[in-house]
Amino acid sequence: MYALKPLKVYALDRVYESPECLVRLDRMLGGLGLDRAAVTVVTEANLPEVVAELQALWPPAVVPAGEVRSYLRPLVFTTIELSYRRPDLRPLLARCPAGTSLDTLGAIFGHMGTAIDQHPHQRDRIEDCVCWPTYNFGTVVGCSHGCLYCGAGRGGRFLSIALNLEEYMERIVGPVIENNPWNRVFRMILHGADLITLEPEYGLHDLFSRKLAQYEERYGHFHTGSGNVDWLADLPHKDRLVGVWSVPCETVSRFMEPGAGTPLERIEAGRKCQEMGIPVRYKLKPVIPVRNWRDEYADLLRQAVTLSRPESIGFSLYIWNTFESMSKTLPMEHLDPECVEAARAAAPTLKERERRVGPFPHETRRMIYQHLIREVRRWDQEVKLYVSTETREMWDDLKDELGQDPSCYVCACGSLAIPGGGLALNPGLRYSTYHPTPV
Ligand code: SF4
């Protein structure tokens, strides 16, 4: 696992009631060079002090020289609350310091989402989003990385790590797989976490791939910005996993993704996984138009397809933002002035339905995608290309250049995108959310 240096480590008292959780806790503490003596036990009695401490610890006043800021985040070991009626946390909230959110208590007490149906047709139609319906799993809230464009990376105060993974696999993952025969590839991705950064000590992907292997032709995506992959070689069911890397250009990596792998480390990780027989897919998400974006992304794409053999490469501009939120969170001095000006000029008139894909207007995004497509095709005529979570209009404009049918396209983490580069279309799901749905 990453060499995290948490400012403080906590564990909810109920972790100590489970032998399986304790084995996992000890293994992870060992990976950090710690032991149980370093852990503060969280009880209902000391909760107000713990919450106050968490608020004071982050953000840190100083980051010691040579340390990665995001690796200092406190860790809270917990268990996912799987009872039918989760306890009401509001009485506890009333005892906590002013300003404490229910989300903070939820993360400490494991009230995290267990499995979410993502991108259902109806919602994507309303939001003008083209994607594939799928199920997302996840067991950690918060991220080891510190990416500036990501809420968890930028603002997360601590990582909340659930330890009752055996129970989660039996009570959540297995039944979701059984109840959704149309879904062939599931995502392990929820809550902004980069889960493989905690492996192999965490043991999530070993359990996940073992669970998937209990069913015919079911697979799971891991989604990462990390190069931490050597441990995958030892998993007995690694053939059930599919690797999806978000890959940045150099400037984005250096100035906006502290703590994450460099572009070359991720491509090298992709190459290693390919040698292990694990399919490799790259997703440039977000593409950020830095000053030298044409050359930097051209270099990245050349390396991606000449150093490894990805099954697909996808593109998504920096979206889900306004000009104002971008200005507050990204180092604007590194961005391309023409693209910034286009976003500034478009801000007052961006139509309601275009805001999801803001702040860059359609023409700017399309122009950048066209460059990226051309650069891949200089080196590779075969790899499947797509735009991710874009609008129907963008697909209409680019489908010929991309070479895929927007109703039925191969991408990275689609629920039908099985290993080998094909689509496992079936009566339960035949079309992406581009396809019209009955109103
Ligand atoms: S890669 Fe495909 S399924 Fe995954 S988010 Fe993008 S469009 Fe959706």
Side-chain angles (χ1 to χ4, degrees):
M1 63 190 288
Y2 272 23
L4 303 176
K5 298 270 180 61
L7 292 170
K8 191 138 185 188
V9 180
Y10 303 87
L12 191 62
D13 52 1
R14 66 180 185 229
V15 162
Y16 293 81
E17 294 163 14
S18 157
E20 285 168 336
C21 289
L22 285 177
V23 168
R24 184 160 288 113
L25 175 68
D26 288 338
R27 206 165 55 216
M28 295 186 79
L29 290 172
L32 299 172
L34 302 171
D35 59 28
R36 284 194 212 175
V39 178
T40 299
V41 180
V42 184
T43 64
E44 290 193 6
N46 72 356
L47 181 70
E49 291 85 68
V50 167
V51 168
E53 205 169 45
L54 283 168
Q55 282 174 358
L57 283 169
W58 201 265
V62 284
V63 176
E67 300 290 355
V68 177
R69 184 175 183 271
S70 61
Y71 294 3
L72 303 178
R73 277 200 184 103
L75 304 182
V76 178
F77 291 101
T78 184
T79 60
I80 302 188
E81 175 60 74
L82 294 174
S83 57
Y84 175 60
R85 283 189 197 283
R86 288 179 162 176
D88 184 0
L89 297 176
R90 283 173 297 185
L92 288 174
L93 185 65
R95 292 176 37 228
C96 288
T100 306
S101 72
L102 211 47
D103 283 349
T104 297
L105 292 203
I108 295 171
F109 285 90
H111 289 207
M112 40 184 91
T114 53
I116 291 178
D117 56 334
Q118 195 81 340
H119 294 286
H121 277 275
Q122 293 285 2
R123 191 183 313 148
D124 271 13
R125 183 178 58 75
I126 292 164
E127 295 179 1
D128 191 13
C129 177
V130 179
C131 191
W132 285 93
T134 193
Y135 266 89
N136 288 352
F137 298 119
T139 57
V140 171
V141 177
C143 189
S144 314
H145 299 147
C147 305
L148 300 187
Y149 49 77
C150 165
R154 193 179 59 247
R157 288 180 172 274
F158 58 94
L159 264 75
S160 170
I161 301 172
L163 296 176
N164 55 334
L165 301 186
E166 288 80 2
E167 190 185 12
Y168 179 72
M169 291 298 154
E170 291 313 307
R171 294 186 53 192
I172 301 294
V173 177
V176 169
I177 293 173
E178 285 166 27
N179 288 333
N180 296 281
W182 55 271
N183 198 138
R184 298 294 158 77
V185 202
F186 295 83
R187 297 198 291 208
M188 187 57 81
I189 194 175
L190 281 178
H191 316 305
D194 194 322
L195 291 152
I196 77 164
T197 64
L198 304 174
E199 299 287 19
E201 287 83 353
Y202 194 30
L204 169 67
H205 291 82
D206 183 28
L207 289 176
F208 185 38
S209 53
R210 286 175 194 268
K211 177 53 73 183
L212 290 160
Q214 292 173 7
Y215 304 90
E216 262 184 54
E217 292 186 35
R218 300 302 186 90
Y219 305 92
H221 297 112
F222 61 86
H223 206 298
T224 188
S226 149
N228 178 34
V229 295
D230 292 343
W231 56 276
L232 280 160
D234 298 326
L235 296 195
H237 293 291
K238 56 181 175 292
D239 58 317
R240 295 303 181 121
L241 296 176
V242 174
V244 178
W245 277 264
S246 73
V247 277
C249 68
E250 277 299 330
T251 297
V252 171
S253 170
R254 195 170 317 141
F255 296 105
M256 301 174 219
E257 298 197 349
T262 66
L264 260 182
E265 282 170 350
R266 297 185 211 187
I267 292 169
E268 173 61 10
R271 190 193 60 72
K272 285 182 186 170
C273 282
Q274 187 185 310
E275 282 177 3
M276 295 177 207
I278 296 172
V280 173
R281 301 168 184 175
Y282 298 123
K283 188 151 65 161
L284 279 62
K285 188 175 185 178
V287 172
I288 300 182
V290 295
R291 285 182 179 274
N292 192 24
W293 64 268
R294 286 179 181 78
D295 290 346
E296 288 201 21
Y297 281 105
D299 276 352
L300 172 71
L301 290 165
R302 177 181 50 75
Q303 289 168 334
V305 294
T306 55
L307 300 178
S308 63
R309 296 228 25 96
E311 291 186 344
S312 66
I313 301 180
F315 314 117
S316 178
L317 254 284
Y318 173 82
I319 56 175
W320 288 302
N321 272 279
T322 61
F323 183 77
E324 191 186 1
S325 65
M326 174 173 74
S327 309
K328 283 184 182 150
T329 51
L330 296 189
M332 298 293 279
E333 69 278 15
H334 291 298
L335 303 197
D336 175 87
E338 276 181 38
C339 293
V340 169
E341 187 45 42
R344 189 200 314 275
T349 54
L350 220 53
K351 294 186 211 101
E352 187 65 43
R353 58 186 282 280
E354 293 173 317
R355 295 221 175 113
R356 184 187 65 78
V357 284
F360 297 104
H362 179 90
E363 294 70 26
T364 303
R365 302 199 314 281
R366 183 180 58 200
M367 179 265 296
I368 295 171
Y369 292 140
Q370 286 173 323
H371 173 77
L372 302 176
I373 295 167
R374 276 195 305 271
E375 288 302 320
V376 176
R377 290 297 179 228
R378 286 177 62 188
W379 307 98
D380 190 323
Q381 296 299 315
E382 305 294 327
V383 64
K384 295 277 195 301
L385 301 181
Y386 61 95
V387 282
S388 176
T389 54
E390 260 291 353
T391 60
R392 286 153 180 266
E393 188 187 358
M394 189 62 78
W395 266 104
D396 291 341
D397 284 0
L398 293 178
K399 60 178 184 279
D400 292 338
E401 284 157 86
L402 290 165
Q404 293 218 70
D405 173 356
S407 286
C408 201
Y409 61 95
V410 174
C411 57
C413 57
S415 50
L416 304 187
I418 52 173
L423 281 178
L425 298 174
N426 65 81
L429 183 61
R430 305 200 69 81
Y431 302 110
S432 78
T433 61
Y434 176 89
H435 199 75
T437 48
V439 182

